[in-house]
Amino acid sequence: MEGSSYASRSYSELAAAASGGGRTLRVIPLRHPLGSLSTSSTSPWWRAVVGRARGMGPLDWAEAALPCVAWTRNYRWKQDLQADLASGITVGVMLVPQAMSYAKLAGLHPIYGLYTGFVPLFIYAIFGSSRQLAVGPVALVSLLVSNVLGGIVNSSSKLYTELAILLAFMVGILECLMGLLRLGWLIRFISHSVISGFTTASAIVIGLSQIKYFLGYNVTRSSKIIPLIESIIAGADEFSWPPFVMGSIFLAILLIMKNTGKSNKRLHFLRVSGPLTAVVLGTIFVKIFHPPAISVVGEIPQGLPRFSIPQGFEHLMSLVPTAVLITGVAILESVGIAKALAAKNGYELDSNKELFGLGIANICGSFFSAYPATGSFSRSAVNHESGAKTGLSGIIMGIIIGGALLFMTPLFTDIPQCALAAIVISAVTGLVDYEEAIFLWAIDKKDFFLWAITFITTLVFGIEIGVLVGVAFSLAFVIHESANPHIAVLGRLPGTTVYRNTLQYPEAYTYNGIVVVRIDAPIYFANISYIKDRLREYELNLPSSNKGLDVGRVYFVILEMSPVTYIDSSAVQALKDLHQEYKARHIQIAIANPNRQVYLLLSRSGIIDLVGAGWCFVRVHDAVQVCLQHVQNSSSNALKLPVQASGVLTDSVSTPKPEQQHQKQHGLFKDLWKAQDSNADAGGEVQPLLRQNLV
């Protein structure tokens, strides 16, 4: 095998001392992975799982099944109870008017918003792993429910309500399955830019869908902005001043209280009490003056929800896309918020357990007339700011909703519709993330394009199309980046043995006849053609070098493989073909710093044998030195190596005539593959490649 005798020599000492007291050239040997494996590292994964399970006691098993056991075991009644009571009451008071508002947004009777904020809260407190997440109805999910169900059946029919409840059951099943199968990682493929563009467009659509309660006339139910605007303009002759004035006043009050509470921590109660203030003021005004132009909520059933089996399974298939979409929103919003709050409060959170807890909450809620529930950003933030310590705060929220259902529903009859609409609009203003678009435009035009395309398609073509287009473009960018990985030509930084991208460090030394290439990605079927094309490009368009003999072409290609985490069979075959092509043109491949798995695969596939074990190195610097050594040994009688001084090769080189130079370069590498063995056996002196103080 070519290079085998050279390998045995290079793994001990590549050369003897140079004439004139030079140093020896040492190369660190690259160990074969099989030689360094221990018994523990090769044990099957299931043994570790079984061992961990055997070490778990009854309480550990209970904690794994019921996350609430984790905080109940260490509950500090004196410190935690007061904080949980305060936060639970605060968010519960905030949830009552919000729940009714979001139910109206979903096209449902306000009572179903209260039902959604009742049973799921208790179930999530038991099975949910977050201690600060506030679960219940949210604006975005309510809009999704309204959008899909409005295209199937009229919102005034009983079937509409049944399908909304069935949707909660389906979402719960999907969330539980994703949690049990540990599939929460799938959502990582959706870019943050897509999420921001989607939520911004959705917030605008939500606001326009609620403006009918301000204008005093009906507006087409749609998730597309053009039909909404056309409907608003078409009904302008029916405009009514009283609801517009009242709704605008409530919206101004809500926004002022919200912003004041955010900016001043001492007044944070204003942010929480805003929705309740609007509802109370509106109800008092209606009860006193009875304005005929102001529409009110109407009668609300009193009492807790009854147990019932979800209905409408014949429409199951038509609800699947929306159930998948709502599940995605739950992962993006709820799990993201829950993780952030867990980090702030100093405990670990498992995304898959969190998904399972949300799923159980939705499944149980569907048996008590709830539509899909998920974590709320605004209420969770208030819950955290109010000092919530455990899931007991969620139980207290549920008790407040239960009390409202039992005793307060007669008071809700005269709540103005415009007050509930103002609550929704005030809540979604925080979702309009135009600052993100400005930031992306300044930082990354590609991400700005993702934001813009998702925003525009969601507004124009609806929520489902917007999400699909955004996700498709997001995945397209991922695939493009993966299929066209970053490849860098490396050079040695002056005075070091560190090799870096020559584009980033133009002062880095490169060597004639040697190209050091770093591939910053796994090598697999999708990108191997691109990588081969780039390598051929480096061979044809020789990068300008500033060190070594002027040999006129590339004779060594060193692959720095430390960033390569994976190689598949297609890449293996392509590397074999590349080796054959290089061998035909007298080009030697060297491999530097592969990780254990990559080196093991290269060894098993025979690539190491093809390239030669002596051409696999721990460091790029070793590979470069060996390549330079071959150049020097093969050309000792033809050309004189330049001498380095002060980090720059300044000594003169005897420059032959062009025809002589061509003949010498041809002779230099013609017998390179044979010369390395004869040089090794000869045991001749090797001149130092680099000055001692520059290595």
Side-chain angles (χ1 to χ4, degrees):
M1 180 60 61
E2 293 178 353
S4 58
S5 62
Y6 178 79
S8 62
R9 182 167 60 108
S10 64
Y11 283 160
S12 56
E13 277 191 10
L14 185 66
S19 59
R23 64 180 178 81
T24 57
L25 176 62
R26 302 181 63 87
V27 177
I28 303 171
L30 180 65
R31 294 181 181 177
H32 194 284
L34 293 178
S36 59
L37 291 179
S38 61
T39 313
S40 59
S41 63
T42 57
S43 60
W45 62 269
W46 54 267
R47 288 187 180 177
V49 174
V50 172
R52 196 180 306 118
R54 286 177 177 174
M56 293 173 64
L59 282 176
D60 297 320
W61 282 107
E63 187 175 321
L66 302 173
C68 64
V69 175
W71 57 264
T72 53
R73 286 171 62 182
N74 304 311
Y75 196 80
R76 300 172 301 176
W77 290 98
K78 290 184 178 180
Q79 297 95 326
D80 296 344
L81 181 60
Q82 184 177 357
D84 285 338
L85 279 172
S87 57
I89 293 171
T90 300
V91 181
V93 170
M94 182 182 182
L95 176 58
V96 172
Q98 274 195 350
M100 294 188 289
S101 304
Y102 293 149
K104 292 291 293 180
L105 174 61
L108 297 166
H109 193 280
I111 191 64
Y112 292 100
L114 295 173
Y115 290 163
T116 306
F118 180 56
V119 171
L121 270 69
F122 292 102
I123 303 301
Y124 180 80
I126 298 172
F127 291 95
S129 53
S130 174
R131 303 172 190 177
Q132 285 80 30
L133 189 70
V135 174
V138 297
L140 188 53
V141 171
S142 299
L143 179 64
L144 291 171
V145 171
S146 171
N147 183 50
V148 67
L149 298 186
I152 298 175
V153 65
N154 191 285
S155 61
S156 60
S157 68
K158 183 181 178 182
L159 180 60
Y160 186 97
T161 303
E162 291 177 350
L163 293 182
I165 296 169
L166 176 62
L167 202 53
F169 179 78
M170 295 172 63
V171 168
I173 293 293
L174 284 174
E175 289 173 339
C176 284
L177 287 175
M178 291 191 72
L180 291 173
L181 299 177
R182 308 186 71 82
L183 296 177
W185 59 269
L186 289 173
I187 211 68
R188 299 174 192 166
F189 287 97
I190 301 180
S191 165
H192 174 74
S193 306
V194 171
I195 299 168
S196 176
F198 167 69
T199 53
T200 300
S202 299
I204 294 173
V205 171
I206 290 170
L208 289 175
S209 69
Q210 293 297 289
I211 204 170
K212 62 183 179 181
Y213 299 112
F214 281 53
L215 301 176
Y217 57 86
N218 285 329
V219 174
T220 301
R221 184 187 299 273
S222 176
S223 63
K224 304 173 186 177
I225 192 169
I226 294 176
L228 282 170
I229 293 175
E230 288 177 346
S231 179
I232 291 170
I233 295 173
D237 55 340
E238 301 177 26
F239 176 75
S240 176
W241 281 103
F244 179 79
V245 173
M246 177 179 282
S248 300
I249 292 173
F250 288 149
L251 181 59
I253 292 172
L254 286 166
L255 292 176
I256 291 171
M257 296 179 72
K258 179 180 178 181
N259 293 326
T260 304
K262 275 186 177 180
S263 58
N264 193 331
K265 291 185 177 181
R266 295 180 180 179
L267 301 175
H268 81 279
F269 66 90
L270 292 176
R271 177 186 178 186
V272 177
S273 57
L276 184 63
T277 302
V279 166
V280 170
L281 291 177
T283 304
I284 292 173
F285 182 85
V286 169
K287 284 187 175 294
I288 294 174
F289 297 102
H290 303 286
I294 303 295
S295 61
V296 295
V297 169
E299 184 179 354
I300 294 180
Q302 189 171 7
L304 302 179
R306 296 180 180 180
F307 179 87
S308 61
I309 305 295
Q311 304 293 319
F313 281 93
E314 63 273 13
H315 298 278
L316 189 71
M317 296 308 298
S318 60
L319 298 178
V320 168
T322 303
V324 172
L325 185 56
I326 293 174
T327 303
V329 170
I331 299 174
L332 292 171
E333 189 170 359
S334 301
V335 177
I337 299 165
K339 278 196 166 185
L341 293 175
K344 288 183 178 181
N345 288 274
Y347 63 91
E348 294 291 330
L349 185 136
D350 188 332
S351 300
N352 296 295
K353 284 185 178 180
E354 182 67 13
L355 268 178
F356 183 77
L358 286 170
I360 292 293
N362 272 304
I363 291 172
C364 295
S366 68
F367 290 106
F368 292 91
S369 302
Y371 74 94
T374 189
S376 166
F377 180 82
S378 59
R379 293 196 300 272
S380 298
V382 171
N383 198 33
H384 168 69
E385 292 167 3
S386 301
K389 300 297 183 184
T390 67
L392 182 61
S393 62
I395 294 175
I396 294 168
M397 296 177 211
I399 292 173
I400 290 176
I401 297 292
L405 286 168
L406 287 171
F407 309 111
M408 299 181 65
T409 51
L411 301 176
F412 300 153
T413 304
D414 293 324
I415 296 177
Q417 300 269 28
C418 59
L420 297 181
I423 292 171
V424 173
I425 295 173
S426 170
V428 299
T429 52
L431 298 177
V432 179
D433 199 5
Y434 64 89
E435 292 179 351
E436 178 72 9
I438 297 172
F439 173 78
L440 293 176
W441 174 260
I443 299 300
D444 191 338
K445 299 297 189 294
K446 180 198 73 175
D447 282 341
F448 175 79
F449 172 78
L450 279 177
W451 187 96
I453 196 70
T454 307
F455 174 76
I456 293 170
T457 51
T458 302
L459 281 180
V460 176
F461 300 105
I463 290 177
E464 289 89 348
I465 300 297
V467 170
L468 290 175
V469 170
V471 171
F473 272 96
S474 185
L475 291 176
F477 277 117
V478 170
I479 294 170
H480 179 269
E481 292 294 331
S482 178
N484 299 272
H486 179 261
I487 300 177
V489 175
L490 305 184
R492 182 174 64 85
L493 298 181
T496 72
T497 59
V498 177
Y499 287 75
R500 290 292 183 267
N501 191 341
T502 54
L503 294 178
Q504 186 177 2
Y505 299 93
E507 71 276 13
Y509 296 157
T510 56
Y511 298 91
N512 289 312
I514 302 172
V515 176
V516 184
V517 178
R518 187 185 69 219
I519 303 168
D520 295 330
I523 306 177
Y524 68 114
F525 66 92
N527 64 15
I528 187 61
S529 296
Y530 175 82
I531 293 172
K532 287 177 65 178
D533 291 342
R534 291 295 302 273
L535 292 176
R536 292 191 186 101
E537 179 184 327
Y538 294 141
E539 181 186 353
L540 296 174
N541 303 320
L542 186 66
S544 60
S545 301
N546 50 27
K547 299 293 176 187
L549 299 170
D550 185 8
V551 295
R553 52 163 284 193
V554 173
Y555 287 92
F556 296 96
V557 175
I558 301 172
L559 301 180
E560 154 67 303
M561 302 190 75
S562 58
V564 179
T565 57
Y566 169 74
I567 291 182
D568 73 350
S569 58
S570 300
V572 165
Q573 187 58 48
L575 289 175
K576 289 181 179 179
D577 296 340
L578 184 67
H579 169 75
Q580 295 301 325
E581 294 176 21
Y582 278 166
K583 185 177 180 181
R585 296 195 294 276
H586 300 291
I587 298 175
Q588 175 66 51
I589 294 178
I591 296 173
N593 199 19
N595 69 35
R596 176 183 171 276
Q597 293 297 334
V598 169
Y599 187 72
L600 194 60
L601 191 144
L602 293 176
S603 179
R604 288 173 176 171
S605 63
I607 289 181
I608 299 299
D609 293 332
L610 283 176
V611 173
W615 292 101
C616 297
F617 303 90
V618 172
R619 300 184 302 170
V620 172
H621 185 60
D622 292 345
V624 171
Q625 288 187 102
V626 170
C627 293
L628 287 174
Q629 189 76 48
H630 276 287
V631 173
Q632 182 176 351
N633 288 345
S634 301
S635 61
S636 58
N637 297 325
L639 295 173
K640 181 181 178 182
L641 268 177
V643 180
Q644 292 189 80
S646 302
V648 181
L649 295 178
T650 56
D651 283 22
S652 60
V653 179
S654 56
T655 306
K657 296 180 180 179
E659 61 273 11
Q660 294 174 337
Q661 186 177 9
H662 174 75
Q663 292 174 358
K664 289 179 179 180
Q665 287 176 2
H666 180 70
L668 172 64
F669 291 99
K670 180 179 179 181
D671 300 323
L672 175 63
W673 318 110
K674 298 178 182 178
Q676 59 186 16
D677 291 338
S678 61
N679 288 338
D681 296 335
E685 289 187 346
V686 179
Q687 297 295 328
L689 300 177
L690 304 171
R691 282 180 50 180
Q692 183 70 27
N693 63 338
L694 292 180
V695 176

